[in-house]
Amino acid sequence: MDDLRTALLTLSPDDRRDFGRFIQRQRRKTIGRLDSRLYELLVRVKELKIEQLIAQLYPAEPNPVAYYALRKRLMRHLTDYLLLRQRQLDTAAAATVRGHLTLAQYLFEAGIPRLAWNTLRKAEKLGRETEQHEQLNAVYNLQIQHASSPYAEPLDEILPRYRLNKKAADEEERANIADSLLRQRLRESRVRGRAVVAVDAILQNILAEYDLLEAFARSPALLSRLMSITRNAMLVRRDFTSFAVFIERCYNLMERRHGFAPAQRGHQLKLLYMLAHALYRSRRFAESVAYLEKGAALLSAGPGRPFSEFTPRFTFLLAANYAFLRRNAESIGLLEAALRGPKALTAADDLTARLQLTFHYFAEGQFANANQALLSLNRTDH
């Protein structure tokens, strides 16, 4: 298996076209470029052996050394393209804070401390609003480093904010560790069978060990992470009913006490999806629809790109709920609209949509349409 080919094949059709153009833009020479030619050969449907690739690239005289150097250049192009693509797509707060921080570092090096400090204040304000603790730590370190500047804030004011953020960042790190640790212990417990898995004990011990029992009440980001941890535990014993009650209480408590700022919309959408899914699995379909509609309203109200991953997930779950509410025709309409949408679905979402649509067609007695939906699947042997 060619690892470079495997990585390239993960790109969507649009990304493949963009990457091809990206390669062409790297140098002035646009005709006869071997890196572009190698890319075209690697993404062909039929995989070529190394000897065949070398023969295609160097027909006059095989040159394995040049071939492997060319592969390294293509891998660098792929890395640069993905970094640029991520930067363009990542309009979230973390990217903006990173941008301000990079600009401030440059301005300090360029000898413009007044403007650098103004940029750092913007980065700190946005980072605190959006709970970007890791980015904030870098901001505070840079502030402390340049605290002797006449434009700096007093060090006695910076240090308490630094310590408070450090505590929150440490809490977030402990939540990450607890999440991974829970997954590992649940995998180990499954070997002994679901009946003997002490899920509650494992969860309580981990949360107590990392001092996270009360932490979720203070932060939407941490609440989202801890609900994910709890959900993983509940999935082991299929106890969706208990989890639905628990997450609904936690979500409503957070909404009443602290609310969700616009910058925390991503965490709110994750919580709404987990809640709606738990209600669906508990056969509380009308309540699940209500929370999905709340999530859909959030998606339509804000910028779509940062949260585009949620749109198909909310659509699929809403269609599934409608089927059990005797609104199967609406389910079909939702899925057909998703497949016809201006933006193509990912391969996984496209497969999910077509398989789910097949089910709804069958339920509606539209057997010919169901058959056509199955025949439209990519990579089938029909």
Side-chain angles (χ1 to χ4, degrees):
M1 177 71 69
D2 188 326
D3 292 339
L4 179 56
R5 170 181 160 85
T6 301
L8 291 170
L9 290 179
T10 62
L11 298 174
S12 68
D14 288 342
D15 286 337
R16 289 187 197 178
R17 286 192 294 271
D18 289 343
F19 181 52
R21 290 193 289 265
F22 177 82
I23 295 173
Q24 295 290 350
R25 291 197 299 268
Q26 298 311 297
R27 296 182 183 179
R28 292 181 181 178
K29 182 181 178 182
T30 58
I31 299 176
R33 292 195 50 167
L34 289 180
D35 49 6
S36 181
R37 176 63 177 154
L38 175 59
Y39 168 61
E40 293 171 358
L41 291 172
L42 287 174
V43 297
R44 283 184 176 179
V45 175
K46 183 180 179 180
E47 183 175 0
L48 300 177
K49 295 181 179 179
I50 293 176
E51 295 79 9
Q52 294 173 309
L53 290 169
I54 294 174
Q56 291 268 7
L57 293 167
Y58 307 100
E61 182 180 355
N63 192 337
V65 175
Y67 167 74
Y68 284 106
L70 188 63
R71 285 178 63 90
K72 289 182 180 179
R73 189 196 311 167
L74 183 58
M75 179 59 82
R76 285 198 300 271
H77 288 332
L78 179 61
T79 303
D80 292 342
Y81 169 75
L82 293 175
L83 286 171
L84 178 63
R85 176 176 172 273
Q86 182 62 30
R87 186 70 182 88
Q88 291 172 339
L89 293 177
D90 190 1
T91 57
T96 308
V97 175
R98 279 195 300 270
H100 285 324
L101 181 61
T102 302
L103 177 59
Q105 289 171 325
Y106 168 78
L107 291 171
F108 278 126
E109 293 170 1
I112 315 176
R114 179 189 60 81
L115 190 54
W117 265 98
N118 287 342
T119 306
L120 277 180
R121 291 186 184 97
K122 291 179 182 177
E124 181 188 1
K125 182 175 183 294
L126 180 60
R128 292 177 67 179
E129 288 174 351
T130 57
E131 300 179 327
Q132 300 296 326
H133 303 301
E134 183 180 351
Q135 307 298 329
L136 270 176
N137 191 53
V139 170
Y140 287 130
N141 279 323
L142 193 59
Q143 288 182 351
I144 293 168
Q145 180 183 344
H146 294 277
S148 59
S149 168
Y151 305 100
E153 296 181 10
L155 188 59
D156 291 342
E157 295 180 8
I158 298 173
L159 289 176
R161 300 200 299 268
Y162 165 77
R163 295 189 189 101
L164 189 63
N165 179 72
K166 194 74 173 175
K167 180 181 177 182
D170 179 65
E171 204 169 60
E172 198 170 71
E173 289 176 3
R174 284 186 277 117
N176 290 336
I177 295 171
D179 190 2
S180 297
L181 195 57
L182 176 65
R183 293 172 189 270
Q184 177 184 314
R185 292 185 182 175
L186 288 176
R187 282 196 300 269
E188 294 170 353
S189 298
R190 286 192 188 104
V191 176
R192 299 189 295 273
R194 186 182 297 167
V196 295
V197 176
V199 175
D200 293 336
I202 292 174
L203 178 61
Q204 290 295 321
N205 288 340
I206 291 176
L207 294 182
E209 180 181 353
Y210 289 92
D211 193 22
L212 293 169
L213 288 170
E214 301 297 332
F216 68 86
R218 298 189 297 269
S219 163
L222 206 55
L223 177 63
S224 174
R225 171 56 59 88
L226 291 175
M227 288 302 101
S228 177
I229 294 174
T230 308
R231 184 171 183 260
N232 287 330
M234 295 298 184
L235 285 174
V236 175
R237 64 185 187 193
R238 306 294 180 186
D239 191 1
F240 293 102
T241 302
S242 297
F243 178 65
V245 173
F246 177 61
I247 188 175
E248 187 172 28
R249 183 172 68 249
C250 291
Y251 176 85
N252 290 329
L253 190 64
M254 175 64 74
E255 192 173 42
R256 285 198 307 270
R257 287 187 177 179
H258 306 287
F260 294 90
Q264 297 164 342
R265 184 172 289 121
H267 301 304
Q268 187 178 8
L269 287 168
K270 289 178 185 176
L271 289 167
L272 283 169
Y273 181 81
M274 284 190 285
L275 172 53
H277 182 261
L279 290 169
Y280 166 76
R281 294 301 299 266
S282 303
R283 305 187 66 81
R284 295 164 61 182
F285 305 117
E287 294 166 80
S288 178
V289 167
Y291 283 109
L292 287 170
E293 289 174 344
K294 183 181 289 189
L298 289 173
L299 285 169
S300 61
R305 176 172 283 183
F307 311 115
S308 58
E309 64 183 276
F310 289 101
T311 302
R313 294 167 66 186
F314 274 71
T315 300
F316 299 154
L317 186 54
L318 187 59
N321 273 290
Y322 280 167
F324 288 99
L325 292 172
R326 301 183 184 278
R327 298 167 63 179
N328 200 46
E330 294 176 65
S331 300
I332 293 173
L334 282 173
L335 295 170
E336 288 178 340
L339 289 168
R340 292 195 307 264
K343 184 177 179 181
L345 297 173
T346 64
D349 286 338
D350 185 87
L351 177 63
T352 300
R354 293 181 190 280
L355 289 175
Q356 190 173 344
L357 186 58
T358 301
F359 164 80
H360 293 298
Y361 279 144
F362 268 112
E364 201 71 8
Q366 300 179 21
F367 305 120
N369 287 338
N371 188 48
Q372 286 302 314
L374 289 174
L375 290 174
S376 69
L377 295 176
N378 290 326
R379 295 186 175 88
T380 65
D381 58 358
H382 66 270

